[in-house]
Amino acid sequence: MESDDRYGAAGQGADGFGFGGPVPPPPPRAPAVGPPPPGAPLRMAGAALLNLTGLGLGYALVGHWVRAAVCWAATAVLLWAALPADPDGVPGGVLAGYLLVLVPAAADGARIARRSALGGAWRPVLAVGLGVVLLAVPTGGAAVYGSARDEARERMLLDRLAAGDERVTAASRQPFGTAKGEYEQALGVYRALGRDHPGSRAAKLVPDRLKTYYDAVSAPYAEKRLCEAVAPLTYLRTLPDSVDGKLLGALAAWPDEPLAASLYGCGVSRLGGSGGGGTELGELLRTFPDSAPAQQVGPAIGKRIEEQVAALKGAEPCAATEVLRGLGTTASGLPGEGLKALRGDADKGVVDGVYACGVDQFEDKKFDDARTTLSDFARTYRSDGRVRQARNIAIAAEIADDRPSAGKRLPPSKRPGGARMELVISNDAPNAVEVLYTGPVTGTVKLRTCAGCERYRASAGARQACKAGGRNYPKARLRLPAGEYHFLYKHGTGATARVDSYSSGTKVQPGYTYTSCTYVIERSPFDLDLPQLPDPVQPALSPWGGGSSR
């Protein structure tokens, strides 16, 4: 390209050049002073635009290749930091550093081009046009990079969504109590996607994932494991407090109905048993008082009470009684006066159940249990018409615990008629004695301590007991109908500690008077139990001799 400026001499001088002589070559650079070569604005604009492309072409245009290489290096560093596209984009420090290279390079390229002569008038114009065109490259590249960055961000968000899904899947294989933490972390992922990235593809998938989430948490309800379903459904019911209602949609209110059904089903299944169902049914009545399951609580408890009252006549009255106790406790703890009134029905059944249980224990030969049950009945329900019979059965059970033949049958509930025979029991022991008896009639008498009486040797007891002249033995007189009787002599402690109780039995026949003497014999020096002498059954004399060892 030739310069429009011409430099030379107007004539011939002393150096031999003159008009028509040889023309000197142009200088290698434009002079630093004086006006720049024509077309400077276009050259400056072209160089600046070409350098702004980041390709260093403005420097190449004016032949400054080292400076062009610096631009190339800066662009390479930028591309190395930016590619592949990252969700967070180019690091701010790298971008700022690149601009600190690019902008000064554009200004520097314009400065150098101002005094650089480019051959031909068309070249500056071409440089400007090329710069404008090439500026579309970084601009378009930035747009493409922004799209790639957005896609990378979408993939990252989808990966987060998938991680939340994996947590839900893993948690669904465990009991809710163990997996609750996993569920909460997965929910945190879904909540953050919907709140912080509402327009993303991942956020648009969150509602479907929440449906899957609810299905996983509430799986025990779907599988009819209602007691297990209470805790997870209660948890789901709290989620509207922490998750946007728009994100949950219809799921926000969904747990109410299954939770009410689970509380009812679980509570009813526990009525009268472990836990009693009061916790679940109480929660149902307080939380969903107008729900259909809440309206069924009273009838369900009433029906169970009726069933257990009927079961008192079956083979397991003791078990039915315990269920009735639990039903009464549950009913009294529930809100609502109508439900509390059911406690009276249960308590009435318990009274009948305790008596039936004691009788059943006696018939099953569980004499110690029968005695405890019916003694408690007599103390607790003193106004009940069965108290007297309960005491009689308890007496017979205590005798039968030592003498099983006394428990062959229940004591008669009515006193027999006919003649009565007298039995006089004397106490020749240095301690008080309680005598229990059962047969056609059942009862108990107590004899006070015999003053001055002592223990007998085993060989002397039967011959000498109750025969000391002038001694006033404590006595008890019984009038007994004829029949077979069983006796239990219970010696108190007093002066003869460690005295054993003992039992005996005999027949009472019409037309005779009977006597019995109770006394205490010593144990052997070797602490061996000596055998009792047989009771001499002698009507009109002394049909029973009583003894005890210590």
Side-chain angles (χ1 to χ4, degrees), residues 298-380:
I301 296 177
K303 182 180 179 181
R304 288 297 300 273
I305 291 174
E306 292 176 0
E307 291 173 352
Q308 296 308 307
V309 168
L312 295 176
K313 299 177 181 178
E316 299 293 339
C318 296
T321 302
E322 289 307 308
V323 174
L324 284 169
R325 289 186 195 276
L327 290 171
T329 300
T330 298
S332 63
L334 295 177
E337 293 303 319
L339 291 170
K340 287 182 171 63
L342 293 171
R343 174 67 184 262
D345 297 337
D347 288 346
K348 184 179 178 181
V350 168
V351 176
D352 295 338
V354 173
Y355 182 82
C357 176
V359 171
D360 184 68
Q361 289 170 334
F362 185 92
E363 292 175 339
D364 289 344
K365 312 303 180 187
K366 300 176 182 177
F367 298 121
D368 189 55
D369 293 338
R371 174 196 171 194
T372 300
T373 300
L374 292 171
S375 296
D376 289 345
F377 177 89
R379 284 191 299 268
T380 305

Side-chain angles (χ1 to χ4, degrees), residues 138-165:
T139 303
V144 172
Y145 180 80
S147 177
R149 181 192 60 193
D150 291 342
E151 180 61 25
R153 182 179 292 113
E154 289 287 357
R155 288 197 301 270
M156 177 191 70
L157 296 178
L158 289 172
D159 288 343
R160 290 183 188 176
L161 182 69
D165 297 343

Side-chain angles (χ1 to χ4, degrees), residues 167 170-185 231-232:
R167 287 188 180 275
S172 66
R173 303 189 187 102
Q174 307 173 55
F176 176 75
T178 303
K180 185 178 179 181
E182 288 290 312
Y183 280 127
E184 289 178 339
Q185 292 186 44

Side-chain angles (χ1 to χ4, degrees), residues 507-527:
K507 264 187 182 180
V508 171
Q509 300 180 12
Y512 291 90
T513 298
Y514 295 86
T515 62
S516 176
C517 177
T518 178
Y519 56 92
V520 180
I521 61 174
E522 296 279 1
R523 283 192 190 275
S524 73
F526 303 103
D527 202 30

